[in-house]
Amino acid sequence: MSRVFAPRSPRAAIVGVAESDLGYTPHRTVLQLQAQAARAALEDAGFSFDEVDALFCAGNWSWSPTLTLAEYLGLRPRYSDSTNIGGSSFEAHIEHAVAAIEAGLIEVALIVYGSTQRSDRSRGRVSPTYRLTEQFEGPFGLPTPVGAYALAAMRHMHQFGTTSEQLAEVAVATRKWAMLNEKAMMRDPITIEDVLTSRWIAEPLHLLDCCLVTDGGGAVVLASAQRARQARKPPVWVLGHGEAHTHATIANMPDLAVHQAAIASGQTAFAMAGLRPEEIDVVEIYDSFTITVIMTLEALGFCPLGEGGAFVSGQRTAPGGPFPMNTNGGGLSYCHPGMYGIFLLIEATRQLRGECGPRQVSGARLALAHGTGGVLSSAATVLLGKD
Amino acid sequence: MSEEANYALPQSDPESAPYWEGIQQGELRIQRCAACQRHVFYPRTLCPYCHSDQLAWVSASGRGTIYSYTVVHRAFGPFAAEAPFIIAIVELEEGVRLMTRLIDAPRERVRIGAAVQVSFEQVSGRPPLPFFRLAE
Ligand SMILES: [Zn+2]
């Protein structure tokens, strides 16, 4: 049974969401993608650029993304936040924007992301030196982030008996959702056998355990409760939020088999919302790798620690299954432009609005969007609901 | 290999210099906190456990066990030509964990919990690094 209202009335709501062009966009700069997403999200909200008083973005394409993007968009924000904790940054931006709204500092926040990482790959890279804390890991040649997640997966298998088949369940179910999303990059069906026979990237992770590398951008408009009532579409309320980070380098992760940042962020978000995991109708969980999903499900309390593999088995998270998850096809099959967190918020919002067509989870009233950043370093959880 | 020039090198700094000097001399140096007695790696100014500044360099035994590992099949840049290779996180007897590469380790003998010993290795003309070998 879903509960609709949080114990205290929500102070802020998502009122606009949009993607930019996705996939391979060599004809667009990272600023163009963000302008495209920002305009579309504001149109979705029925708001104008003039109504935006706070800008949030994260990226490594500028030493100060908010300065550069605000100037490019012709914005003069009176609140600016370029917090970068990896792919979970945008869920953290929601938390920070809600706090600023509650403090009375802002009314309308624009959260934007863009990346041309796929197009950039062909341009080549200059070898950096390994500075500061990187000097103790970089010289050994671990490919990051995938190698770090592989180290976590190996430890999870050792500690809990998780299997490659269980990891593959996540990839197969997520692909089934992508087949229902015309914007998804990868829409051909795959089997567990396909995942297990795809080439190794870093054991125990195969190619099909890994997210895509794409270009793309997205934007989310968050408004105070009062302003949200003036939006074009019904508000999607922020019922709870939480964030945490535990480490930056994988050797310093406290326990490689436990996503402790997600335990912390999830507990905060659920307590704030007065909700329990079993009450959530649709979940969007950062799927940089299949192991990320299993560890996050455990950390958020959808199942006990160590039982994530069993939880996803039997295609329980696929369309028509009892636990609808990553309904846009996820980072594994829809798109993954470097930092995926904004797309979790976009899909959760669309599901609650009932805008998802063939992939719509019927009757969805409560949604969870959970970002994981770095090398299982950071986590941010957002709980959303509709009236 | 003509790729050699492309290897990024670790950049020693005022805090890490004793560590890298130790590596050159075949010694694995870590820090120990005089206030809480715990060992610390990588080098810091404040103990991450008790925040004392009483950190002193000590010579580690170089013995430890594999905490986790991965066989890397696809690596980036100059490391690509070295794949497959095994990266491990080793837990030293002193209690600290560090990233390393396993050398001369047959895949079938590599397992979590296996005993390992530090071995300073020069690969592809790079300066020595603290790799580890299976101790059994
Ligand atoms: Zn101490």
Side-chain angles (χ1 to χ4, degrees), chain B residues 18-19 22-23 25-32 39 56-63 92-94 118 120:
Chain B
Y19 168 78
I23 300 298
Q25 295 163 23
E27 181 185 345
L28 183 60
R29 294 177 184 164
I30 61 176
Q31 289 174 311
R32 184 166 177 275
H39 288 88
W57 288 99
V58 297
S59 183
S61 65
R63 289 188 297 271
L92 295 180
E93 281 181 349
E94 291 82 2
V118 73
F120 300 93

Side-chain angles (χ1 to χ4, degrees), chain A residues 127-130 133 135-137 139-143 150-151 154-155 158 200-203 250 253-254 256, chain B residues 6 8-9 11 13 16 20 42-43 67-74 79 85 87 97 99 101 107 112 126 129:
Chain A
S127 293
T129 55
Y130 299 112
T133 64
Q135 66 188 294
F136 309 103
E137 296 200 350
F140 298 101
L142 184 75
L151 289 163
M154 195 70 88
R155 185 75 196 175
H158 171 78
W200 288 120
I201 301 297
E203 294 180 36
I250 192 65
M253 183 166 176
L256 258 71
Chain B
N6 292 331
L9 296 176
Q11 187 175 311
D13 56 42
S16 67
W20 290 112
Y42 47 82
Y67 175 74
S68 193
Y69 69 95
T70 177
V71 185
V72 174
H73 291 263
R74 184 175 175 278
F79 297 113
F85 54 86
I87 294 282
R97 288 186 203 144
M99 182 176 289
R101 204 190 280 198
R107 172 71 184 84
I112 289 175
R126 282 173 282 164
L129 289 169

Side-chain angles (χ1 to χ4, degrees), chain B residues 32-40 46-55:
Chain B
R32 184 166 177 275
C33 174
C36 74
Q37 320 300 327
R38 294 182 70 166
H39 288 88
V40 172
L46 299 178
C47 170
Y49 308 108
C50 76
H51 304 99
S52 152
D53 63 357
Q54 302 301 302
L55 292 168

Side-chain angles (χ1 to χ4, degrees), chain A residues 68-250:
Chain A
T68 305
L69 185 63
E71 177 187 281
Y72 180 83
L73 293 176
L75 292 174
R76 295 184 181 185
R78 51 200 179 90
Y79 196 98
S80 179
D81 185 335
S82 46
T83 297
N84 187 345
I85 54 171
S88 58
S89 296
F90 313 95
E91 284 70 37
H93 291 171
I94 291 282
E95 167 154 294
H96 302 180
V98 170
I101 286 169
E102 290 182 346
L105 297 172
I106 64 170
E107 289 188 283
V108 177
L110 176 63
I111 306 172
V112 194
Y113 178 66
S115 168
T116 50
Q117 67 160 20
R118 178 160 175 190
S119 299
D120 294 345
R121 277 207 303 197
S122 54
R123 292 171 202 161
R125 273 177 298 193
V126 180
S127 293
T129 55
Y130 299 112
R131 297 178 60 247
L132 302 175
T133 64
E134 296 169 351
Q135 66 188 294
F136 309 103
E137 296 200 350
F140 298 101
L142 184 75
T144 55
V146 59
Y149 284 82
L151 289 163
M154 195 70 88
R155 185 75 196 175
H156 199 274
M157 289 174 155
H158 171 78
Q159 206 153 309
F160 298 123
T162 306
T163 66
S164 290
E165 287 77 7
Q166 290 172 332
L167 294 177
E169 290 268 5
V170 174
V172 172
T174 307
R175 180 62 60 89
K176 289 176 184 166
W177 285 108
M179 291 165 66
L180 303 176
N181 181 3
E182 61 185 16
K183 289 182 182 168
M185 306 292 117
M186 305 297 279
R187 303 189 64 198
D188 295 330
I190 55 171
T191 64
I192 287 174
E193 193 61 21
D194 290 335
V195 180
L196 299 182
T197 56
S198 63
R199 63 191 169 87
W200 288 120
I201 301 297
E203 294 180 36
L205 300 180
H206 298 86
L207 176 68
L208 293 178
D209 286 301
C210 302
C211 63
L212 308 174
V213 177
T214 73
D215 299 329
V220 170
V221 181
L222 187 88
S224 65
Q226 189 186 352
R227 296 295 291 277
R229 298 289 184 196
Q230 300 156 6
R232 218 161 55 80
K233 293 178 179 174
V236 170
W237 299 106
V238 178
L239 304 179
H241 46 80
E243 69 179 89
H245 52 93
T246 53
H247 63 279
T249 53
I250 192 65

